[in-house]
Amino acid sequence: MKNKLAFLSLIFAGGILFAQGQLFQFKYKEGDAYRVLSTVQEDVFFNDVFHHHAEILNRVSVRVTGIDDKGRGIHDAIFMTSENSTGARGGVFTYGEDYKSVFARDAAGRYDISDEYFMPVVRDVPIFPAEEIEVGHKWTAQGHEAHDLRRTFDIKTPYKIPFNAEYEYLGEVQEEGKTFYKFDVQYEMEYSVDMKKFNFVKGEVPVATQGYSHQIIWWDNDKGCIDHYREEFRIEILTSSNNILRFEGTAHAEVTDFARTADEKNVAAVIEKINDLGIDDVSVTAGEKGLTLSIENIQFKPDSDILLQSERAKLDKIAQILNAYPDNDLLITGHTALRGTKESRQKLSEERAQAVANYLIRKNVRDKYHVFTKGMGGDVPIADNSTEAGRAKNRRVEITIMDK
């Protein structure tokens, strides 16, 4: 369910929005890169009884890799969803599983995407009309949702549900010294699963779903893309045992550019800064996700996640480097030496990553919605665990300034 909500309102693409009475149109430029970060506050009910509240963070990184012969932008995207469990220490979000997607999108906003990709869920929203638009203009265009039912049902491709979205152009607004253009988007959906068409797993399965989405979109005309949006939603699922699951809440999202950090120039600049600040036991590498600072032999109280004062001072210096990339998210990854059980190593690595993340959040390096954590236990050593020097290197925390 959270994957559905994660991208219920996801709106891609850099575009150009003309003044009132003019044409609205998506346009793309090779090399464009941006990030979509949405936060969902969701209440879950079971048979009309409140079950729990969830805070869900959805992160999408997108790069336009080219323009095809039809003028469509070719998008290469990575989707990630993380849920902040009730009572999680410090409210830190654990980095979830990555989902890759490649698709084309035309000037009107229509997708062309292979059935091998399950993200985004909501497609063909927004769709702009071909004629010029004035304030108050309303139109309707078909979109669809593509659900991932692989885990619950024996369905190998996205399960697609069409809907008709209703649009209204609300006009120009000024917010925080910027000019935006607002759109109202609403759609309802109601569908039943064809039990004869698919082979379902044993047990309780959903048989009917209904819901709605109401979104307000703010368009940045200068940058030619969505700046942010907010949404209200409600989804209700009837199961084969006549149970009713209801998900309702709100979502908001921001679309931002970010600096590409994983290149030789940035690696050299960060190494120089580390030397200038006199930070010991920190190495710098460029990888697939971005530029990583590896803090080796990081010191905690024995078998705990409590940072020693010397490491807090080290993180204060590292914060100066991280502040040079304010629009990039951070991934904090914990590693341990090969000591204790696999379960204890995994738990300790997660807790130590969270401790570093919480410290950086308290120092206002980032807010909690732009810091993710992951624990790797002792599964990724960089040195020989049979020596104390090797184990010291393996006891590390890595801070990645994320490009993806």
Side-chain angles (χ1 to χ4, degrees):
M1 193 71 245
K2 67 183 180 182
N3 277 341
K4 193 274 175 207
L5 296 175
F7 309 108
L8 189 62
S9 307
L10 187 60
I11 300 165
F12 288 100
I16 293 179
L17 181 61
F18 294 87
Q20 180 178 335
Q22 300 295 320
L23 185 67
F24 290 71
Q25 192 176 63
F26 285 99
K27 292 186 178 180
Y28 311 99
K29 183 175 66 176
E30 184 175 352
D32 284 347
Y34 56 94
R35 179 201 60 204
V36 182
L37 194 69
S38 70
T39 306
V40 178
Q41 301 291 339
E42 176 186 86
D43 289 327
V44 181
F45 297 83
F46 182 75
N47 291 334
D48 291 326
V49 176
F50 177 78
H51 188 269
H52 71 277
H53 177 81
E55 184 176 33
I56 302 167
L57 192 64
N58 313 293
R59 184 183 188 276
V60 188
S61 62
V62 185
R63 185 173 180 85
V64 179
T65 59
I67 311 297
D68 69 11
D69 56 3
K70 297 180 181 179
R72 302 177 303 181
I74 308 303
H75 296 68
D76 193 315
I78 299 294
F79 294 75
M80 189 281 297
T81 298
S82 176
E83 183 169 337
N84 185 1
S85 302
T86 302
R89 181 173 181 179
V92 177
F93 288 91
T94 301
Y95 196 85
E97 184 178 356
D98 284 338
Y99 293 88
K100 181 179 176 62
S101 184
V102 177
F103 56 88
R105 200 174 190 188
D106 67 14
R110 295 181 181 86
Y111 282 86
D112 184 1
I113 180 171
S114 167
D115 279 347
E116 69 180 289
Y117 301 115
F118 290 83
M119 297 293 181
V121 170
V122 176
R123 302 171 183 183
D124 301 339
V125 176
I127 297 294
F128 291 123
E131 68 271 15
E132 294 181 351
I133 298 174
E134 297 182 354
V135 175
H137 183 81
K138 298 180 180 180
W139 69 99
T140 301
Q142 189 176 74
H144 71 276
E145 294 189 358
H147 292 261
D148 184 354
L149 303 181
R150 288 173 294 181
R151 294 185 179 181
T152 307
F153 309 104
D154 188 19
I155 303 175
K156 305 302 183 184
T157 59
Y159 185 72
K160 298 176 182 178
I161 304 98
F163 58 78
N164 287 317
E166 299 178 354
Y167 296 86
E168 181 177 3
Y169 174 39
L170 302 179
E172 179 180 320
V173 295
Q174 299 288 327
E175 293 186 6
E176 299 181 354
K178 294 184 178 181
T179 300
F180 297 112
Y181 299 82
K182 289 178 67 176
F183 293 88
D184 183 283
V185 186
Q186 301 184 51
Y187 66 83
E188 296 183 357
M189 59 181 181
E190 185 169 351
Y191 63 93
S192 299
V193 176
D194 186 350
M195 300 290 287
K196 297 178 181 179
K197 186 176 181 181
F198 302 109
N199 294 319
F200 293 92
V201 298
K202 294 181 180 180
E204 192 172 25
V205 297
V207 296
T209 301
Q210 62 181 5
Y212 73 86
S213 171
H214 181 198
Q215 307 166 24
I216 301 293
I217 298 169
W218 283 259
W219 187 282
D220 187 325
N221 190 31
D222 294 331
K223 296 174 70 176
C225 66
I226 300 297
D227 184 85
H228 59 288
Y229 74 80
R230 71 165 185 255
E231 177 195 17
E232 296 178 356
F233 64 86
R234 176 188 172 106
I235 300 171
E236 196 168 276
I237 299 173
L238 173 66
T239 75
S240 55
S241 298
N242 289 320
N243 289 314
I244 299 175
L245 297 171
R246 188 169 82 248
F247 306 82
E248 59 184 42
T250 61
H252 73 272
E254 60 185 37
V255 180
T256 59
D257 299 324
F258 56 88
R260 291 281 169 181
T261 62
D263 58 33
E264 293 181 2
K265 181 179 178 181
N266 279 315
V267 169
V270 171
I271 291 174
E272 182 178 0
K273 187 66 174 178
I274 287 172
N275 292 333
D276 290 344
L277 293 171
I279 308 174
D280 297 326
D281 298 322
V282 176
S283 60
V284 184
T285 56
E288 181 181 353
K289 283 193 176 298
L291 187 150
T292 297
L293 288 75
S294 181
I295 310 171
E296 299 168 3
N297 196 26
I298 188 166
Q299 299 295 305
F300 295 85
K301 290 186 177 180
D303 298 320
S304 81
D305 61 351
I306 301 175
L307 282 161
L308 296 184
Q309 183 59 42
S310 60
E311 303 310 293
R312 296 175 189 174
K314 182 181 294 185
L315 288 174
D316 289 343
K317 294 179 179 180
I318 291 174
Q320 298 179 43
I321 298 171
L322 304 178
N323 285 334
Y325 305 92
D327 295 326
N328 293 62
D329 296 334
L330 302 179
L331 173 61
I332 316 298
T333 307
H335 300 265
T336 67
L338 204 59
R339 177 181 176 184
T341 66
K342 183 176 179 64
E343 291 76 15
S344 66
R345 292 194 297 269
Q346 180 63 33
K347 181 174 183 292
L348 186 59
S349 67
E350 293 172 358
E351 291 173 345
R352 288 181 169 179
Q354 291 167 6
V356 171
N358 286 333
Y359 186 81
L360 295 175
I361 291 169
R362 289 196 299 271
K363 288 292 182 177
N364 296 317
V365 175
R366 299 288 192 279
D367 63 33
K368 72 173 186 176
Y369 300 107
H370 295 82
V371 180
F372 303 89
T373 64
K374 178 182 287 188
M376 300 301 293
D379 293 344
V380 191
I382 59 173
D384 187 352
N385 272 299
S386 66
T387 68
E388 180 51 41
R391 290 191 291 272
K393 284 184 172 293
N394 292 332
R395 288 191 294 268
R396 68 194 190 279
V397 171
E398 296 172 341
I399 302 175
T400 300
I401 306 170
M402 298 184 70
D403 291 346
K404 290 186 176 182

